[in-house]
Amino acid sequence: MSDLEQISLELEARGYRVTPSRRAVIAAILARKNHFAADELAKRCRGAGRATVFRTIRLLSDLGVVCRVLMDDGSPRYLVSRSGHHHHLVCTECGTVQDLDQCAVSGALREIADASGYEIEGHWLELYGRCAACRARTAVLA
Amino acid sequence: MSDLEQISLELEARGYRVTPSRRAVIAAILARKNHFAADELAKRCRGAGRATVFRTIRLLSDLGVVCRVLMDDGSPRYLVSRSGHHHHLVCTECGTVQDLDQCAVSGALREIADASGYEIEGHWLELYGRCAACRARTAVLA
DNA sequence: GCCGAGTTGATACTAGGTCTCAACTGAGAC
DNA sequence: GTCTCAGTTGAGACCTAGTATCAACTCGGC
């Protein structure tokens, strides 16, 4: 079963209609190799209007199919990503985004909660750096 | 020496002029007990135009006098805060923001760098939860 | 007083996104 | 088959959070 079909089934299972517009947006998202801006997707996606593209991205985001990444300049991007709690490693040179399997702060949260008296409900973490490929490229040039 | 004077001296030391507009913005910021939106400050601050308010906030942000916090709904707020690397603990109930002394992830970063091959240059972390006061309030009501 | 750099505020513009609303669609009831 | 009605759509207005532009102003130094 293709990703598109799988997502369509997921949508139907939740009571959403799988319309041609939604299919077009999902197909456009799946065709992306890396992250994308919502507006850029709206411009390229001929099969759906801007509002529909934004709505569909939000829908897929709720479903856990795509997630939002904040780039180091603060601009938001979207990414086909696994669902559940995870963080991202963003390469500041080539822009690729890598999922992080472990949650880096889960251990520290308890300590912070104890020290501050807060009941911590959520957190947001993005990591920025240079990926292995970019580092290798610079090393060769140097 | 008042905070306003101290910030003014800091500005002068860096070669910036301390103009009435800047004083007005700084005074408005210092009058805030907690975080504020830049636009809201611009509306209330009669002594300076919108562009100047945004420019001054950026200037103070560069100086480390204020810092930007991303609330749990994604909206940006500013906060008079200590300079240097630190994170924030945002209460989702009353909105107060607390500085975190320790960087919760510094330890985990090395591990992630090793595992991923990334050279980690920076990170962004915000924590959301309910502060001690809000928890106490709910506990009394229950 | 003059000069020039720094600063200002009005305004236009941008990005990223939501809201509104009339029109359309399609699944189920009859 | 067609009626109905909730879900969906797209155009466009609108919103928030800023940045860019530019003529006018300010102020320190000569």
Side-chain angles (χ1 to χ4, degrees), chain B residues 33-44:
Chain B
K33 269 142 211 79
N34 208 337
H35 55 81
F36 55 90
D39 235 344
E40 173 218 329
L41 197 76
K43 274 183 197 118
R44 286 171 192 246

Side-chain angles (χ1 to χ4, degrees), chain A residues 16-17 19 21-22 47-49 52 55:
Chain A
Y16 297 107
R17 284 193 202 154
T19 63
S21 300
R22 287 191 176 151
T52 301
R55 278 189 286 238

Side-chain angles (χ1 to χ4, degrees), chain A residues 18-55:
Chain A
V18 180
T19 63
S21 300
R22 287 191 176 151
R23 280 186 166 271
V25 176
I26 296 168
I29 288 174
L30 292 175
R32 300 271 133 172
K33 270 146 210 74
N34 207 334
H35 55 82
F36 55 90
D39 234 347
E40 173 218 332
L41 196 76
K43 274 182 198 117
R44 287 171 191 244
C45 187
R46 297 264 57 83
R50 190 165 176 270
T52 301
V53 169
F54 275 91
R55 278 189 286 238

Side-chain angles (χ1 to χ4, degrees), chain A residues 64-123:
Chain A
V65 173
V66 302
C67 63
R68 206 173 184 260
V69 189
L70 223 49
M71 306 307 282
D72 57 339
D73 64 351
S75 63
R77 291 288 177 277
Y78 296 88
L79 189 70
V80 178
S81 188
R82 57 197 184 66
S83 56
H85 181 72
H86 66 282
H87 300 296
H88 299 113
L89 212 38
V90 182
C91 179
T92 52
E93 215 162 299
C94 65
T96 53
V97 176
Q98 195 178 308
D99 279 0
L100 266 186
D101 289 328
Q102 80 269 43
C103 173
V105 284
S106 54
L109 288 187
R110 218 177 348 270
E111 275 176 54
I112 294 170
D114 286 346
S116 64
Y118 268 64
E119 179 191 341
I120 295 176
E121 293 165 338
H123 60 275

Side-chain angles (χ1 to χ4, degrees), chain A residues 5-18:
Chain A
E5 287 170 66
Q6 201 161 346
I7 295 168
S8 303
L9 286 178
E10 180 78 17
L11 279 174
E12 273 175 352
R14 303 228 189 175
Y16 297 107
R17 284 193 202 154
V18 180

